[in-house]
Amino acid sequence: MRRLFIVPFLLLVVSCTQPNPVQTAQTLEQKAAAVYGQFVIAQEAARDIVCPNYVAVRAAPAASVPCQPTVPKGVVRAIASAENVAKPLADVLAVTTRQYAQVKAAQGTGAQVVAAFNALQAAYSEALPSVMALISAVKAQKEPQ
Amino acid sequence: MFAIPALLQMLPSLAGVVASSFIDDKKTLMFVDLAVGIINAGVQVESKLSALNAEIQAFVDAGVAPPDTWWVEYRARSDAAHEDIQRAARD
């Protein structure tokens, strides 16, 4: 019976020491980068679940080697769907962050900087829920049932 | 500070050592494999998160925004993972 407590205990240790890049970031640009970075890490974790043999799949000629997911097909579709929703929003966040940096660097007018900042803030708010949804979908598969 | 990443890297082997004291049958061995597998996956994500956190901390310390090269690198990783995930859904 005691052995049943090993995994939850160790997972608790891992989650307690987990770094939080969004908390580390101080400016909106840094926070946007932290969210985008976490999105990419969640994507890569999702890929490890739905297509752990992706290196072989990529190397094979046109669809001759299929992905071998570690979860049922329905879960693969759910993760892929969450990723497909989050990806364009996360990409908009990346683009608007770079545009804001460019406007600032070019010493644009006050109105231009404010417009770019507002666009970045809107992209941040739009991307965050879908990125969190993807992270939740991936975590649900990584944690013990 | 430096001990935490090192400790995380050691977790899979620690789990094996701790669990080995409870091994009494084949079923338990399977349980140990599962436990170490789950923790390995967690550690892999953990090390990527630590690396990202260190990058963000460096930007904070320098008082700068992430440069274009940072965005290009992460965008490339994102595009590659996106293709693999959507291919898996089609397979």
Side-chain angles (χ1 to χ4, degrees):
Chain A
M1 192 62 199
R2 278 183 302 170
R3 65 183 175 230
L4 292 177
F5 294 103
I6 298 169
V7 173
F9 171 73
L10 288 173
L11 287 174
L12 183 68
V13 170
V14 169
S15 61
C16 285
T17 58
Q18 195 163 301
N20 186 340
V22 178
Q23 257 177 2
T24 302
Q26 287 182 357
T27 66
L28 184 57
E29 289 159 285
Q30 291 162 354
K31 284 190 186 295
V35 169
Y36 193 75
Q38 283 187 304
F39 165 67
V40 174
I41 291 169
Q43 276 184 302
E44 290 172 342
R47 176 178 61 194
D48 290 344
I49 294 168
V50 302
C51 194
N53 59 327
Y54 70 91
V55 176
V57 173
R58 278 187 198 169
S64 58
V65 175
C67 288
Q68 291 168 344
T70 58
V71 290
K73 194 69 188 171
V75 176
V76 172
R77 288 200 196 98
I79 289 176
S81 171
E83 194 271 341
N84 212 25
V85 169
K87 168 76 172 156
L89 296 172
D91 286 346
V92 168
L93 176 64
V95 169
T96 51
T97 309
R98 292 171 77 181
Q99 282 171 346
Y100 175 60
Q102 282 164 3
V103 169
K104 275 202 313 184
Q107 295 181 325
T109 64
Q112 285 172 328
V113 174
V114 169
F117 182 82
N118 287 341
L120 169 55
Q121 211 163 25
Y124 185 84
S125 303
E126 271 194 68
L128 204 54
S130 59
V131 170
M132 293 312 292
L134 174 64
I135 291 171
S136 296
V138 172
K139 275 178 96 173
Q141 296 309 315
K142 286 215 173 277
E143 284 168 3
Q145 302 300 306
Chain B
M1 276 296 282
F2 296 108
I4 293 173
L7 179 66
L8 288 172
Q9 294 300 322
M10 285 168 61
L11 274 179
S13 49
L14 278 177
V17 170
V18 174
S20 66
S21 60
F22 299 104
I23 291 172
D24 48 16
D25 55 25
K26 206 174 174 182
K27 213 172 176 181
T28 309
L29 273 174
M30 283 171 61
F31 170 80
V32 173
D33 283 349
L34 177 67
V36 172
I38 289 167
I39 291 163
N40 271 331
V43 168
Q44 202 179 11
V45 170
E46 185 74 17
S47 73
K48 286 182 182 180
L49 265 179
S50 292
L52 173 64
N53 199 49
E55 287 172 332
I56 300 296
Q57 186 63 60
F59 299 141
V60 169
D61 292 345
V64 296
D68 264 7
T69 48
W70 186 93
W71 289 103
V72 169
E73 183 201 321
Y74 272 82
R75 177 63 188 258
R77 280 171 60 182
S78 172
D79 288 347
H82 175 70
E83 274 185 38
D84 294 329
I85 293 166
Q86 297 308 317
R87 185 187 297 118
R90 287 193 303 269
D91 276 353

